[in-house]
Amino acid sequence: MRNKLAISVLCLGFATTAFAANTPWWERPTVCKLDPTKCYNVMGTGYDSGLWDSDFGCWGMKIICPEALTTGEDYPTPMGRNEISKGTNLNKDFDLSILNGDCFGARKTKNNGAMASVDGKYVRVWCNGILDNPDEYLENGEITFGTEPTCADLADYGYVATENGKCYGKFYDPAKYYIECNSNEITPSRIIVLNGADYSYSGGNNITDSSSAAKLFDSMEKTSASQREIYFKK
């Protein structure tokens, strides 16, 4: 019985030695191997797949843009999933699901990009060139972190705080329109057509002859003259 056991052990040792000799070292069971688990299904631009997320026990960290951080970083910073979920050192005005170049974090917007989040509140995104000193440039225009321009500030350049596509700032030619403002409000009280025409007038069939046309033009001329006396005093 002892002889059989000795032969069995000898055969087992020989088989193990033979397996080790014929198997590459990296495939042998005694070699420690790294856990290949990935933190994200797809990791391309915006991720660092070579960093180990110890909280979740997986590979890969999301790279956060510096402007989306509250720590004053100058460069993109890799962050673990747990840190991101807690909102640690993150600016709440930024959406970390949006890839912004080679990192994640774009300022939150609404109204098709015409409004942007600043300190938890949404402000107007002004069309390029309207603000004197913009604090930040976005895809659709510019924003200011301070006081927005008043109606009078904009009217000096012929602009009105009206949505113009994906930004604010609609231009009215000063030679054709007068923008009337009230104190420090942003929007004008009314916009006056300087040629005296009623822009809501549809025409219809009221003008049937030259006499009717002459009366209409006479009325337009008087209205235009009165408006100029009020708003363009010498």
Side-chain angles (χ1 to χ4, degrees):
M1 183 69 179
R2 290 181 178 177
N3 292 336
K4 290 182 179 180
L5 179 60
I7 293 172
S8 297
V9 172
L10 181 62
C11 292
L12 179 60
F14 177 78
T16 302
T17 303
F19 172 80
N22 297 323
T23 304
W25 67 266
W26 59 87
E27 293 183 1
R28 295 175 190 177
T30 56
V31 175
C32 295
K33 298 180 180 179
L34 292 174
D35 186 344
T37 304
K38 295 181 179 180
C39 298
Y40 301 92
N41 294 330
V42 179
M43 284 187 287
T45 304
Y47 295 91
D48 192 328
S49 59
L51 294 178
W52 177 255
D53 189 338
S54 58
D55 290 334
F56 280 82
C58 56
W59 288 99
M61 285 191 177
K62 210 169 187 178
I63 302 174
I64 308 303
C65 297
E67 54 267 28
L69 300 170
T70 59
T71 51
E73 299 290 339
D74 294 325
Y75 301 98
T77 302
M79 296 182 70
R81 293 165 63 182
N82 191 41
E83 196 174 10
I84 292 175
S85 65
K86 288 182 178 180
T88 307
N89 300 325
L90 295 176
N91 190 327
K92 305 301 182 184
D93 292 320
F94 285 77
D95 187 343
L96 300 186
S97 67
I98 301 177
L99 185 64
N100 185 11
D102 57 359
C103 54
F104 282 92
R107 190 173 289 278
K108 296 176 182 177
T109 61
K110 67 177 184 178
N111 292 3
N112 204 23
M115 302 286 288
S117 179
V118 175
D119 295 333
K121 299 179 181 179
Y122 280 90
V123 300
R124 293 172 177 82
V125 175
W126 298 95
C127 299
N128 291 321
I130 291 181
L131 296 178
D132 289 334
N133 297 296
D135 290 303
E136 189 174 312
Y137 296 91
L138 302 180
E139 182 180 358
N140 297 336
E142 310 161 344
I143 59 173
T144 176
F145 299 154
T147 304
E148 293 186 298
T150 65
C151 172
D153 295 332
L154 297 169
D156 286 341
Y157 301 98
Y159 285 98
V160 170
T162 301
E163 197 168 342
N164 183 17
K166 297 181 179 180
C167 57
Y168 278 81
K170 192 171 182 180
F171 180 73
Y172 285 84
D173 187 347
K176 299 178 180 179
Y177 302 94
Y178 177 78
I179 303 171
E180 186 176 87
C181 301
N182 287 332
S183 62
N184 292 323
E185 293 183 3
I186 292 180
T187 55
S189 55
R190 59 178 176 172
I191 299 174
I192 300 168
V193 183
L194 295 179
N195 64 6
D198 183 355
Y199 60 88
S200 64
Y201 179 69
S202 60
N205 297 319
N206 295 327
I207 301 176
T208 56
D209 52 33
S210 59
S211 177
S212 299
K215 289 181 181 180
L216 176 61
F217 281 113
D218 182 58
S219 174
M220 290 170 59
E221 185 179 6
K222 290 180 179 178
T223 301
S224 180
S226 63
Q227 294 293 339
R228 289 182 182 278
E229 289 179 2
I230 295 174
Y231 299 104
F232 295 90
K233 296 179 180 179
K234 295 181 180 180

